[in-house]
Amino acid sequence: MLNKTQLIALLSLVLSHLFLILNFVLDSPNGENIFLFYLAWILGIVSVVSNLILADNLGINKWALGVFGLFGIAWLFPPMLFTFFGIPCLVGFLGFGIYFHGKAFEKSSKKTA
């Protein structure tokens, strides 16, 4: 069963990347879909905080937390999201997020078994 931290972290991780991808796909020259970018940005910041809390609660190595936090910096500065630094950071952030959630589900399944 998911606790509140896991639920918020997972939803914000998935939705932030989904809305950012939708912003790229539905991009228009008039900027009609800019609300998708703002929504992705806000959810990205929530994702950084909630996933760092989740990873700390799971007892993940400090180096992994540091790298994850470094990748999360891209969410704090929106102009960096579209640079050669920001895109690899977002991919790394997603990768570490999937790893953390895999550990969380593994830990929660051991408790119930």
Side-chain angles (χ1 to χ4, degrees), residues 6-46:
Q6 284 176 308
L7 184 64
I8 291 169
L10 182 61
L11 284 176
S12 62
L13 180 73
V14 170
L15 290 177
S16 64
H17 283 83
L18 178 69
F19 286 136
L20 194 62
I21 291 169
L22 281 176
N23 181 45
F24 286 136
V25 171
L26 301 176
D27 190 23
S28 67
N30 299 337
E32 296 166 352
N33 297 321
I34 195 70
F35 68 92
L36 288 173
F37 175 74
Y38 289 132
L39 190 58
W41 179 44
I42 290 168
L43 285 171
I45 293 172
V46 171

Side-chain angles (χ1 to χ4, degrees), residues 87-110:
I87 294 171
C89 282
L90 291 176
V91 172
F93 184 81
L94 182 62
F96 270 96
I98 292 169
Y99 171 74
F100 293 157
H101 286 283
K103 288 287 186 183
F105 285 119
E106 178 182 309
K107 190 174 183 179
S108 67
S109 68
K110 285 183 181 179

Side-chain angles (χ1 to χ4, degrees), residues 79-91:
M80 284 180 39
L81 292 176
F82 305 109
T83 64
F84 289 115
F85 177 75
I87 294 171
C89 282
L90 291 176
V91 172

